[in-house]
Amino acid sequence: IPLLNEFTIEPLSVNLKHNSKIEFTINEQKHRGKFTTHFSKAKRNEILFHKGSTGYLEISKNQGNLAQEMNIESGMELILKIL
C-alpha cells in the first residue's frame, strides 16, 4: 500500500498517527500491530507498521522475522482494519 507521506495511505486517504492500532488478517488468523515512525519506538517482538524506504506501508516485527514466523509470502492476501 503506497503512503502519500509519512502518515497518509494513498489512494485511500487514511491518516495514521503514531501508535494507531491496526488489525490484520492473514492465513485466516487475526493479529494486531501499531503504526510507528521508527523501530526504536516499538517494543522487542512487537508487530508494527511503518513507511518503508520505497514509500509503501510495511509490516514488521521489531527484532524478529514476521514473514518467517507467520509463513507470509509475496502476493498473499492481507486484510487491514484501522482501529
Side-chain angles (χ1 to χ4, degrees):
I1 300 172
L3 292 178
L4 181 61
N5 57 47
E6 198 157 352
F7 306 102
T8 305
I9 296 176
E10 184 64 36
L12 304 176
S13 295
V14 174
N15 288 316
L16 295 173
K17 295 179 182 175
H18 177 68
N19 284 330
S20 292
K21 304 295 182 213
I22 301 173
E23 180 179 275
F24 66 100
T25 305
I26 193 156
N27 294 329
E28 300 180 13
Q29 295 182 5
K30 289 185 180 186
H31 305 276
R32 285 193 177 187
K34 69 176 186 179
F35 178 79
T36 187
T37 54
H38 300 89
F39 278 88
S40 63
K41 298 191 185 270
K43 297 176 186 172
R44 182 181 176 99
N45 293 318
E46 185 173 25
I47 296 173
L48 56 110
F49 292 80
H50 60 97
K51 181 180 179 180
S53 60
T54 58
Y56 285 84
L57 182 66
E58 295 182 1
I59 181 172
S60 305
K61 187 171 190 178
N62 195 17
Q63 300 181 17
N65 188 328
L66 188 66
Q68 186 177 35
E69 291 176 23
M70 293 187 179
N71 296 316
I72 299 171
E73 297 177 9
S74 180
M76 294 179 79
E77 181 179 69
L78 175 70
I79 300 169
L80 298 177
K81 181 179 180 181
I82 311 297
L83 303 176

